Amino acid sequence: MDMPTERFALRYSELGEKYGPITWLVVPGRTIIVLNTYDSMYEILERRGSNYMDRPRAAMIQELVGMNFNTPMRQGDPTWRLHRKLLRPALSPDAIKRNYSELLIAGAHRFVKRVIREPETFRASLKRSLGETISDLTYGAHEDDQGNDYVVKQEELLVYSTLAIAGYLVDLFPLLKMVPGWFPGAHFQRDAKKWREHMTELRNLMIEGVQKRMAANEGRSCYVVNMLEDLQKVKDETGADITEDIQAVYDSGFSFYQAAADTTEIGLKNFLLAMTLYPVAQARARQEIDHVVGARRFPEFSDQGDMPYVHAVVLESLRWNPPAPFIIPHASREDNTYKGYFIPKGTTVIPNVWQISRDSTIYEDPSTFNPDRFISNPNILDPRDFVFGFGRRVCPGKYLAYQTMWMFVVSTLWAFELEKPEGEPPLDKDTDRFDFGFLNSPRPFECNFIPRKEAIDKILVAE
């Protein structure tokens, strides 16, 4: 009964305070350990990563909804290894800057333009701009020639996925998946059928869209197109069978939106909220941008090396509120021991990364948004070392997430001054700022965007 049903990260932290770095829980049909320190996460999930590379069985989302093809949800099998083999070079820092810089800049500019026109809808504009950017980067488009809006359909699927992963009785008792949908109480079967149909339709739409554009020689540089062209070259040169690789490209590509959209959006909402609450940090970041960029041109990725404080702002936005506060759980493949504790095969391992962000032995005054901590202490723990996961399951898109956030952050501060509206609550406590769900989003807040005339004039003229 100690297993939390709400405010998960906070409850997991309370368990850590009571029982120490590793807490053992038993629920029907499952054994669970919760890790609450960076050292325990690093030792178990990083150094022993080969034993903790699987995922716990989740009958609802993996089997009934059918998301078991999705890279983050797959078990650590040969197909998952193929996904990682494809994703690693395609999402390396050099590949991102070489292939996707223009897409990321265009996405940031779209956000700025939307806020200029409708500042009161900045949250919707951020979601839409990020969605278009991720879809363009993955498939080369965010809609097809029939008017199907990939972003809207992906957002609907994200809602379904969140509901499916939130926990159904069938996850504890997988045999229930044999119960027919018409049976009383089997609403989960009806939910799963509806969500699976939506997901299948969306996958087919986006794959067919890519195939049509490539056949018409209209395929823009994007992950799926680039990978398919590379595979075709391999086939032409060696005659290799690339059928399995093509399917892996489609499946891993479909994972982009599911893995990146909400988490990157939360990271940027962290930034916007922090700028309204900590105007001194905002002023210092803008001063650096003005010094390096000025108002006569747009910020570019080549400016990154000259903006250490903006880099620190992005890191602190990730540290201040990790978007996935306990990431996707791991599962042990074989029996193991840690500091005398026996961890049986099949144990679910939950790393509570929120607690790392609030560990005062690592981060002084951890609830305060303070980018200076990354300037004054170069050896401090980089949040990218825990926010994006551990070991074999570390997110392959961690560099893409950082670069996307950096471009949106620098473009926003180049174009606007951000201000907390009068009458807004002070939001002094973490519990006032964040909702502590499966994804820890900032609670709804307001923000005034004050245009900086020279920058705004330039971006509007460029339309």
Side-chain angles (χ1 to χ4, degrees), residues 46 91 120 128 147 227 250 267 292 314 353 364 424 434:
E46 189 78 32
L91 295 178
E120 68 279 1
R128 180 70 198 183
M227 296 304 297
Y250 289 141
V292 174
V314 178
V353 298
E364 184 181 356
E424 278 287 287
F434 313 115

Side-chain angles (χ1 to χ4, degrees), residues 66-324:
M67 292 286 282
N68 52 356
F69 70 90
N70 185 293
T71 306
M73 299 298 297
R74 283 200 74 92
Q75 299 301 339
D77 57 17
T79 301
W80 171 79
R81 292 189 181 94
L82 177 57
H83 285 206
R84 302 282 296 196
K85 179 182 176 182
L86 295 171
L87 288 166
R88 194 176 298 112
L91 295 178
S92 69
D94 290 341
I96 291 167
K97 289 185 178 181
R98 180 176 63 251
N99 296 328
Y100 309 126
S101 289
E102 292 184 6
L103 286 173
L104 299 181
I105 292 171
H109 289 186
R110 282 196 297 268
F111 172 63
V112 169
K113 291 173 186 176
R114 284 170 171 148
V115 173
I116 292 171
R117 297 184 178 111
E118 297 182 271
E120 68 279 1
T121 64
F122 71 92
R123 287 182 293 272
S125 295
L126 179 62
K127 180 181 290 291
R128 180 70 198 183
S129 300
L130 278 173
E132 291 174 352
T133 301
I134 296 169
S135 190
D136 288 347
L137 188 148
T138 311
Y139 294 98
H142 50 267
E143 62 183 8
D144 63 19
D145 56 3
Q146 302 299 313
N148 291 298
D149 191 322
Y150 297 161
V151 176
V152 170
K153 291 182 177 294
Q154 284 277 21
E155 287 296 329
E156 291 172 353
L157 184 60
L158 275 176
V159 173
Y160 299 155
S161 300
T162 302
L163 292 172
I165 207 170
Y168 276 74
L169 195 59
V170 69
D171 291 325
L172 297 179
F173 305 103
L175 283 177
L176 287 175
K177 71 178 188 175
M178 307 304 294
V179 174
W182 53 263
F183 196 80
H187 65 90
F188 68 92
Q189 290 281 20
R190 297 186 287 275
D191 289 344
K193 181 176 183 293
K194 179 177 67 174
W195 301 342
R196 187 181 191 118
E197 289 173 351
H198 178 92
M199 178 193 67
T200 302
E201 176 192 10
L202 177 57
R203 287 182 73 195
N204 292 338
L205 275 174
M206 293 191 294
I207 290 171
E208 290 167 6
V210 167
Q211 292 171 341
K212 286 180 181 178
R213 288 188 291 276
M214 291 184 71
N217 291 319
E218 297 174 354
R220 294 169 54 190
S221 176
C222 64
Y223 170 73
V224 172
V225 170
N226 294 346
M227 296 304 297
L228 292 179
E229 289 178 345
D230 289 345
L231 289 173
Q232 187 61 48
K233 290 177 184 176
V234 171
K235 180 180 180 181
D236 293 342
E237 293 171 1
T238 67
D241 182 359
I242 59 173
T243 304
E244 184 180 1
D245 300 74
I246 290 174
Q247 188 60 52
V249 169
Y250 289 141
D251 288 349
S252 59
F254 193 80
S255 306
F256 274 40
Y257 202 100
Q258 297 288 302
D262 274 356
T263 51
T264 308
E265 179 189 347
I266 289 171
L268 287 168
K269 288 198 290 189
N270 291 342
F271 153 73
L272 294 174
L273 175 60
M275 294 299 95
T276 68
L277 298 179
Y278 297 90
V280 173
Q282 178 188 168
R284 182 170 170 185
R286 186 180 298 103
Q287 182 181 24
E288 185 176 74
I289 294 168
D290 288 347
H291 175 72
V292 174
V293 180
R296 295 186 177 182
R297 65 174 178 87
F298 303 124
E300 300 171 353
F301 281 111
S302 59
D303 298 319
Q304 279 186 334
D306 298 321
M307 296 187 187
Y309 193 79
V310 173
H311 169 68
V313 166
V314 178
L315 294 184
E316 184 70 341
S317 297
L318 291 168
R319 197 269 331 158
W320 192 48
N321 175 39

Side-chain angles (χ1 to χ4, degrees), residues 320-321 358 430-436 440-443:
W320 192 48
N321 175 39
R358 292 303 181 270
D430 289 332
T431 49
D432 297 329
R433 296 166 176 168
F434 313 115
D435 62 20
F436 294 99
N440 195 13
S441 182
R443 294 181 182 277

Side-chain angles (χ1 to χ4, degrees), residues 56-71:
R57 184 180 181 184
M60 183 65 176
I61 191 167
Q62 292 173 337
E63 299 165 30
L64 294 179
V65 178
M67 292 286 282
N68 52 356
F69 70 90
N70 185 293
T71 306

Side-chain angles (χ1 to χ4, degrees), residues 12-63:
Y12 290 145
S13 294
E14 291 170 1
L15 291 175
E17 291 175 5
K18 186 174 182 180
Y19 298 112
I22 179 169
T23 303
W24 170 265
L25 293 163
V26 179
V27 297
R30 183 164 298 182
T31 56
I32 298 169
I33 59 172
V34 178
L35 306 178
N36 269 301
T37 64
Y38 179 77
D39 288 345
S40 65
M41 295 177 205
Y42 185 83
E43 174 62 31
I44 292 175
L45 301 178
E46 189 78 32
R47 296 187 66 182
R48 309 181 191 189
S50 60
N51 190 48
Y52 293 91
M53 62 193 292
D54 277 345
R55 295 301 191 198
R57 184 180 181 184
M60 183 65 176
I61 191 167
Q62 292 173 337
E63 299 165 30

